[in-house]
Amino acid sequence: MICRVCVGTWNVGGKLPSEDLDIKEWLNMEEPADIYVLGLQEIVPLNAGNIFGAEDNRSVPRWESIIRETLNTAQPAKPKVKCYSDPPSPSRFQPLDDQTAFEDEILHGTDSDSTDEEVHPSEDQSLDNIDESSATGDENEDATYYEPKFQRIFSHKKLERLYGFTLTDADVNTETIKVNQKSYLSRSLSKSERIGLSWPEQPLNLVPQRSLENSSSFKSVRSFRPSNSFRFVKGDSAEISSNFGLDLNADSRRRKRPYFVRIVSKQMVGLYLSIWVRRSLRKHIQNLKVSTVGVGVMGYIGNKGSVSVSMSVYQTLFCFVCCHLNSGEKEGDELRRNTDVQEIHRRTIFNAVPDVNMPRTIRDHERVIWLGDLNYRINSSYEKTRELISGKEWSKLLEMDQLTRELRKGRAFDGWSEGVINFPPTYKYELGSEIYVGGDPKLGRRTPAWCDRILCFGKGMRLTRYGRLDLRLSDHRPVAAVIMAEVEVFCHRKLQKALTFTDAEIDDAEVAPDALWPFR
């Protein structure tokens, strides 16, 4: 199985994003992925208060809201081509489209990113507290009229279409139920009620006959007796006739689950890593572990360091490392960054107790993706670098790139790989501009560099996109990569077939008596 993974990294320089920040291009929403791995650096300003004081996480909800809205607004359209290789089902009852989502909600619980249920404003008086005087008022007045037993008639066609059963017409009051001009009656179903209504499909010759013959098969009044789940909702409907039905389609639309959900997120001072997946893929992700390493002040403070996540997608182990290494463009500063990488490898532990089946370190995983502000610079003068950038001579510029040299030498990143860089350096820009800092030597110069990078380690991964995006929130530009990763899916049929062949080989093999037991 091939899993599409979108990886993004961005040093936001402690800037709080506006609520209308457009990151669709960064997330490549034209071709949505299965997994989104998003790493931010300097999500808060790296001042003394944030480094040594309490962790400031006030910007996290803003970023998560932008990511959630972006992922779930532009949902991919379902293919319009139908498969006719199999004959259609003989049943005339259509299953509920959202039934799978409801069952997933019950079996796997509600995650932290599910949208809240729409709550309608209710009046102070509930149905259980309505006295008989208000229930038997004059029909000609504007007062709300209710029947004592609160009987209702449901749309036969709608319920047949949704759940495949028919309500009887016995003991049903056909009088019109009048309600307030500015309110109508609605019912919110709990999770257990939804699953309860999704009954197994009945034989074709049983439902239309038995349900009409037996008047006690379905009791609309008792099944939907008045309770606190009924409440008044302000609206424009003036009158609901006797064929008023329980609109479960509207209820399912209100509770529609998001297309992408967040499975894990972690902040360490200015570092932030968040992983989002398709809802259908969430149940196949297990063994989530998080490990943080600080390599900043005194070698342990979290102003620099890494946040790593270990997880299994089906039967394949993935590891994502978001880092922010020490800065500096002086000669020898790249050695400090190499040391940071080695410390992250040494101190990143996912399982304190060694386990044969579970990964303990970063390299124990089958697929590893390393992203972040690695801060490796270009060993060239400011003027020479700007000249090569103007001519878009990326290959010549890469020959002087520190990280490219480290990848070739195999010191800090032995066995790692990176995509082809054919985009301008991502650092350092003037705020809100496409101009690199350094036009005025008196204000200080920073040689442009590819500080923001995405690396891969392991087999079974193919990079299909690697580039820089022109988002000008900070002095860095975000970088995104799309990786097609192979995922091993467990197949019971193949395992059974393999075990059958193994048993046959053992039965046919001639085992030497001396090999059965070493001591006799």
Side-chain angles (χ1 to χ4, degrees), residues 119-144:
V119 180
H120 298 287
S122 59
E123 302 292 342
D124 296 334
Q125 186 181 23
S126 63
L127 288 177
D128 293 339
N129 298 328
I130 298 177
D131 55 17
E132 294 182 0
S133 60
S134 62
T136 57
D138 190 358
E139 297 183 14
N140 297 325
E141 297 178 357
D142 293 336
T144 306

Short mmCIF file of all heavy atoms in Angstrom, two decimals, residues 119-144:
data_model
loop_
_atom_site.label_atom_id
_atom_site.label_comp_id
_atom_site.label_asym_id
_atom_site.label_seq_id
_atom_site.Cartn_x
_atom_site.Cartn_y
_atom_site.Cartn_z
N VAL A 119 -25.28 23.25 19.06
CA VAL A 119 -26.23 23.37 20.16
C VAL A 119 -27.21 24.47 19.82
O VAL A 119 -26.80 25.61 19.59
CB VAL A 119 -25.51 23.67 21.48
CG1 VAL A 119 -26.50 23.80 22.60
CG2 VAL A 119 -24.50 22.58 21.78
N HIS A 120 -28.48 24.12 19.81
CA HIS A 120 -29.50 25.11 19.50
C HIS A 120 -29.89 25.86 20.76
O HIS A 120 -30.00 25.27 21.84
CB HIS A 120 -30.76 24.43 18.93
CG HIS A 120 -30.47 23.71 17.66
ND1 HIS A 120 -30.24 24.35 16.48
CD2 HIS A 120 -30.36 22.39 17.40
CE1 HIS A 120 -30.04 23.47 15.53
NE2 HIS A 120 -30.09 22.27 16.06
N PRO A 121 -30.13 27.15 20.67
CA PRO A 121 -30.59 27.89 21.84
C PRO A 121 -31.97 27.42 22.24
O PRO A 121 -32.88 27.34 21.43
CB PRO A 121 -30.60 29.34 21.35
CG PRO A 121 -30.68 29.25 19.86
CD PRO A 121 -29.97 28.00 19.49
N SER A 122 -32.15 27.10 23.49
CA SER A 122 -33.42 26.56 23.98
C SER A 122 -34.09 27.57 24.89
O SER A 122 -33.47 28.44 25.48
CB SER A 122 -33.19 25.25 24.73
OG SER A 122 -32.33 25.48 25.81
N GLU A 123 -35.37 27.43 25.00
CA GLU A 123 -36.14 28.27 25.90
C GLU A 123 -35.92 27.83 27.34
O GLU A 123 -35.38 26.78 27.63
CB GLU A 123 -37.64 28.18 25.53
CG GLU A 123 -37.93 28.58 24.10
CD GLU A 123 -37.72 30.07 23.87
OE1 GLU A 123 -37.69 30.80 24.88
OE2 GLU A 123 -37.57 30.48 22.72
N ASP A 124 -36.37 28.65 28.28
CA ASP A 124 -36.20 28.33 29.69
C ASP A 124 -37.07 27.16 30.11
O ASP A 124 -36.77 26.46 31.07
CB ASP A 124 -36.54 29.55 30.56
CG ASP A 124 -35.57 30.70 30.30
OD1 ASP A 124 -34.44 30.41 29.87
OD2 ASP A 124 -35.96 31.85 30.52
N GLN A 125 -38.13 26.95 29.39
CA GLN A 125 -39.08 25.91 29.79
C GLN A 125 -38.87 24.69 28.93
O GLN A 125 -38.96 24.74 27.72
CB GLN A 125 -40.51 26.44 29.63
CG GLN A 125 -41.57 25.47 30.17
CD GLN A 125 -42.95 26.03 29.97
OE1 GLN A 125 -43.14 26.85 29.11
NE2 GLN A 125 -43.90 25.58 30.76
N SER A 126 -38.58 23.53 29.51
CA SER A 126 -38.41 22.30 28.75
C SER A 126 -39.75 21.60 28.62
O SER A 126 -40.73 21.94 29.28
CB SER A 126 -37.40 21.39 29.46
OG SER A 126 -37.89 21.03 30.72
N LEU A 127 -39.78 20.56 27.78
CA LEU A 127 -41.04 19.85 27.56
C LEU A 127 -41.52 19.14 28.80
O LEU A 127 -42.70 18.98 29.02
CB LEU A 127 -40.86 18.85 26.42
CG LEU A 127 -40.73 19.48 25.01
CD1 LEU A 127 -40.49 18.38 24.01
CD2 LEU A 127 -41.96 20.27 24.68
N ASP A 128 -40.55 18.67 29.60
CA ASP A 128 -40.96 17.95 30.80
C ASP A 128 -41.63 18.86 31.80
O ASP A 128 -42.35 18.40 32.69
CB ASP A 128 -39.74 17.29 31.45
CG ASP A 128 -39.20 16.19 30.55
OD1 ASP A 128 -39.97 15.71 29.71
OD2 ASP A 128 -38.01 15.84 30.71
N ASN A 129 -41.41 20.16 31.71
CA ASN A 129 -41.97 21.09 32.68
C ASN A 129 -43.22 21.79 32.18
O ASN A 129 -43.73 22.71 32.82
CB ASN A 129 -40.92 22.14 33.05
CG ASN A 129 -39.71 21.51 33.70
OD1 ASN A 129 -39.84 20.51 34.39
ND2 ASN A 129 -38.55 22.11 33.48
N ILE A 130 -43.74 21.40 31.03
CA ILE A 130 -44.95 22.04 30.50
C ILE A 130 -46.16 21.55 31.26
O ILE A 130 -46.40 20.35 31.37
CB ILE A 130 -45.11 21.72 29.00
CG1 ILE A 130 -43.90 22.29 28.23
CG2 ILE A 130 -46.41 22.26 28.46
CD1 ILE A 130 -43.94 21.97 26.77
N ASP A 131 -46.91 22.48 31.79
CA ASP A 131 -48.08 22.06 32.55
C ASP A 131 -49.26 21.86 31.62
O ASP A 131 -49.24 22.21 30.45
CB ASP A 131 -48.40 23.10 33.64
CG ASP A 131 -48.59 24.50 33.05
OD1 ASP A 131 -48.78 24.61 31.81
OD2 ASP A 131 -48.55 25.46 33.83
N GLU A 132 -50.31 21.29 32.16
CA GLU A 132 -51.46 20.94 31.34
C GLU A 132 -52.18 22.19 30.84
O GLU A 132 -52.76 22.19 29.77
CB GLU A 132 -52.43 20.08 32.15
CG GLU A 132 -51.83 18.72 32.51
CD GLU A 132 -52.83 17.87 33.26
OE1 GLU A 132 -53.94 18.36 33.47
OE2 GLU A 132 -52.49 16.71 33.61
N SER A 133 -52.13 23.27 31.60
CA SER A 133 -52.81 24.48 31.17
C SER A 133 -52.20 25.04 29.90
O SER A 133 -52.89 25.48 28.99
CB SER A 133 -52.76 25.53 32.28
OG SER A 133 -51.41 25.84 32.58
N SER A 134 -50.88 25.01 29.82
CA SER A 134 -50.24 25.49 28.61
C SER A 134 -50.39 24.51 27.48
O SER A 134 -50.34 24.89 26.32
CB SER A 134 -48.74 25.76 28.85
OG SER A 134 -48.10 24.55 29.22
N ALA A 135 -50.57 23.23 27.80
CA ALA A 135 -50.71 22.22 26.75
C ALA A 135 -52.09 22.19 26.17
O ALA A 135 -52.33 21.61 25.13
CB ALA A 135 -50.35 20.85 27.31
N THR A 136 -53.04 22.77 26.79
CA THR A 136 -54.43 22.72 26.29
C THR A 136 -54.97 24.11 26.07
O THR A 136 -56.14 24.38 26.30
CB THR A 136 -55.31 21.99 27.31
OG1 THR A 136 -55.20 22.66 28.58
CG2 THR A 136 -54.85 20.54 27.49
N GLY A 137 -54.14 25.02 25.65
CA GLY A 137 -54.58 26.39 25.42
C GLY A 137 -55.45 26.51 24.19
O GLY A 137 -55.69 25.57 23.44
N ASP A 138 -55.91 27.72 23.96
CA ASP A 138 -56.77 28.00 22.83
C ASP A 138 -55.97 27.91 21.54
O ASP A 138 -54.93 28.53 21.38
CB ASP A 138 -57.37 29.40 22.98
CG ASP A 138 -58.46 29.65 21.94
OD1 ASP A 138 -58.70 28.74 21.11
OD2 ASP A 138 -59.05 30.74 21.97
N GLU A 139 -56.49 27.14 20.56
CA GLU A 139 -55.76 26.95 19.31
C GLU A 139 -55.73 28.23 18.49
O GLU A 139 -54.89 28.40 17.63
CB GLU A 139 -56.38 25.82 18.50
CG GLU A 139 -56.32 24.49 19.20
CD GLU A 139 -56.89 23.38 18.32
OE1 GLU A 139 -57.07 23.64 17.12
OE2 GLU A 139 -57.15 22.29 18.82
N ASN A 140 -56.70 29.15 18.71
CA ASN A 140 -56.74 30.37 17.92
C ASN A 140 -55.73 31.40 18.39
O ASN A 140 -55.46 32.37 17.70
CB ASN A 140 -58.15 30.98 17.97
CG ASN A 140 -59.17 30.04 17.33
OD1 ASN A 140 -58.85 29.36 16.37
ND2 ASN A 140 -60.38 30.04 17.88
N GLU A 141 -55.21 31.20 19.58
CA GLU A 141 -54.23 32.15 20.10
C GLU A 141 -52.84 31.78 19.59
O GLU A 141 -52.62 30.73 19.01
CB GLU A 141 -54.25 32.12 21.63
CG GLU A 141 -55.60 32.57 22.20
CD GLU A 141 -55.60 32.48 23.71
OE1 GLU A 141 -54.58 32.01 24.27
OE2 GLU A 141 -56.58 32.89 24.31
N ASP A 142 -51.89 32.70 19.85
CA ASP A 142 -50.52 32.46 19.41
C ASP A 142 -49.77 31.55 20.35
O ASP A 142 -48.64 31.18 20.07
CB ASP A 142 -49.76 33.79 19.30
CG ASP A 142 -50.33 34.64 18.19
OD1 ASP A 142 -50.92 34.06 17.27
OD2 ASP A 142 -50.17 35.87 18.25
N ALA A 143 -50.40 31.18 21.46
CA ALA A 143 -49.71 30.30 22.41
C ALA A 143 -49.44 28.95 21.77
O ALA A 143 -50.21 28.47 20.94
CB ALA A 143 -50.56 30.12 23.68
N THR A 144 -48.36 28.33 22.19
CA THR A 144 -47.97 27.03 21.63
C THR A 144 -48.91 25.95 22.12
O THR A 144 -49.27 25.90 23.30
CB THR A 144 -46.54 26.71 22.04
OG1 THR A 144 -45.71 27.80 21.65
CG2 THR A 144 -46.06 25.44 21.37
#
